[in-house]
Amino acid sequence: QVQLVESGGGLVQAGGSLRLSCAASGSIVRINEMEWYRQAPGKQRELVASISRSGSTNYADSVRGRFTISRDNTKNTVYLQMNSLKPEDTAVYYCAADVVTILLQGPYWGQGTQVTVSS
């Protein structure tokens, strides 16, 4: 059994910052790619940022230069530092990870954390 638990969401004014965390726990052998997604009301879930196990990163154009994804492999944790937040960043943010366990490999998702940016 693998669980991903996000934390760090909240309400912030435009221009402010938040740092999201997502910790994976359970019978984990290795975690490959880790990702952050978001879903705003009435919109499809979109990929925000991803990071490989070795640290290679990719970002959506809408957040590049403002958001930074990082990870700590010793803690099975991924972070998303969000700066210069805009009202359009308001969404539920989800982390996802490609997890290898003793029995199988597959994607796991967190429950989501709300980020609200006021203008």
Side-chain angles (χ1 to χ4, degrees), residues 1-73:
Q1 186 78 7
V2 175
Q3 287 188 322
L4 273 63
V5 179
E6 299 106 335
S7 61
L11 173 64
V12 65
Q13 288 188 330
S17 298
L18 283 174
R19 189 192 194 209
L20 305 184
S21 299
C22 173
S25 62
S27 303
I28 298 170
V29 173
R30 185 181 70 253
I31 300 179
N32 296 322
E33 186 156 292
M34 304 185 82
E35 299 163 333
W36 285 100
Y37 288 79
R38 68 185 180 186
Q39 188 167 20
K43 295 188 177 181
Q44 289 188 332
R45 189 173 297 190
E46 63 172 346
L47 177 64
V48 174
S50 64
I51 184 167
S52 69
R53 182 170 179 80
S54 63
S56 296
T57 59
N58 283 292
Y59 297 93
D61 290 342
S62 59
V63 307
R64 187 174 290 111
R66 300 187 297 121
F67 291 10
T68 302
I69 188 171
S70 61
R71 64 189 287 173
D72 184 336
N73 291 332

